[in-house]
Amino acid sequence: EYKATGDKTAHGAFGEVFIFPKLPEPEDYVPEPVIPEKKGDYYVGMNICSLWRTGDHMGWDCITPYDEIKPLMGYYDEGLPETADWELKFMAEHGIDFQLYCWYASQSDMPMRSTRLASAIYGGHFNAKYSDKVKFALLWEAANAMHPNGSEAFRKYIVPFWVDYFFTDPRYMR
């Protein structure tokens, strides 16, 4: 509780705080991307479907039974910063300027603390060493996730979350 100027009192709360030790970077960590010189004043984006983490959605279980379908990087956890750094390196070196992440709301009638299928952006991209090399943007996936019951709920719950977590981040594609 905080006593503001006058008779107003403000209340605040922490949702979740995670603390992890920062381990030394291994010698064989992802090499720094070598970014080619840009020719022209256009931007190239790539839609990212964040489903590739075991335990979230279907993870890899939906394709592992088929030997002919195997990712170039092997089966990986997209919520890891090192995985994100490999992806960012590949994209930056091949002219991709930003990733367009599918964004799924987790609720629509109360303030959000986290969202579904977001380990790639929160755990991976946001913590990656090379996250400043490829920007990110959101593609609101409202057909397959929670969506607000009207414009007031949208303005009250979704927009503040976007502003706090995404739009104010300098890595967000504007």
Side-chain angles (χ1 to χ4, degrees):
E1 190 171 296
Y2 171 75
K3 194 71 165 173
T5 336
D7 294 333
K8 297 184 178 186
T9 301
H11 298 273
F14 282 100
E16 295 175 338
V17 176
F18 296 98
I19 299 173
F20 299 98
K22 183 166 171 89
L23 301 173
E25 191 175 280
E27 287 183 30
D28 65 345
Y29 193 75
V30 183
E32 175 108 19
V34 178
I35 302 172
E37 186 178 331
K38 192 170 187 72
K39 297 176 183 165
D41 59 353
Y42 57 88
Y43 295 98
V44 177
M46 182 176 171
N47 184 221
I48 303 296
C49 180
S50 304
L51 303 176
W52 307 113
R53 184 175 199 178
T54 301
D56 286 358
H57 194 258
M58 294 178 286
W60 291 107
D61 293 345
C62 62
I63 67 168
T64 51
Y66 308 98
D67 292 334
E68 68 276 12
I69 303 174
K70 186 174 180 192
L72 177 67
M73 291 183 4
Y75 299 108
Y76 57 89
D77 182 340
E78 68 182 357
L80 298 175
E82 184 175 4
T83 299
D85 275 329
W86 277 112
E87 291 177 337
L88 293 164
K89 176 180 173 55
F90 293 153
M91 286 186 244
E93 291 181 343
H94 292 90
I96 305 295
D97 298 299
F98 70 96
Q99 297 181 71
L100 185 63
Y101 284 95
C102 288
W103 182 85
Y104 300 84
S106 53
Q107 59 267 352
S108 60
D109 58 352
M110 66 181 75
M112 285 184 244
R113 290 188 326 151
S114 62
T115 57
R116 296 179 39 228
L117 303 171
S119 60
I121 193 166
Y122 298 130
H125 192 110
F126 281 1
N127 294 303
K129 181 177 179 179
Y130 306 126
S131 65
D132 63 332
K133 307 295 183 196
V134 176
K135 292 187 177 276
F136 71 93
L138 300 180
L139 173 75
W140 180 19
E141 177 57 72
N144 297 307
M146 297 294 291
H147 50 279
N149 295 325
S151 66
E152 184 179 341
F154 174 74
R155 291 190 312 270
K156 189 174 180 182
Y157 303 119
I158 292 181
V159 171
F161 187 83
W162 286 348
V163 170
D164 288 348
Y165 284 89
F166 304 115
F167 299 162
T168 55
D169 191 307
R171 299 168 294 185
Y172 193 83
M173 182 69 184
R174 289 172 182 80

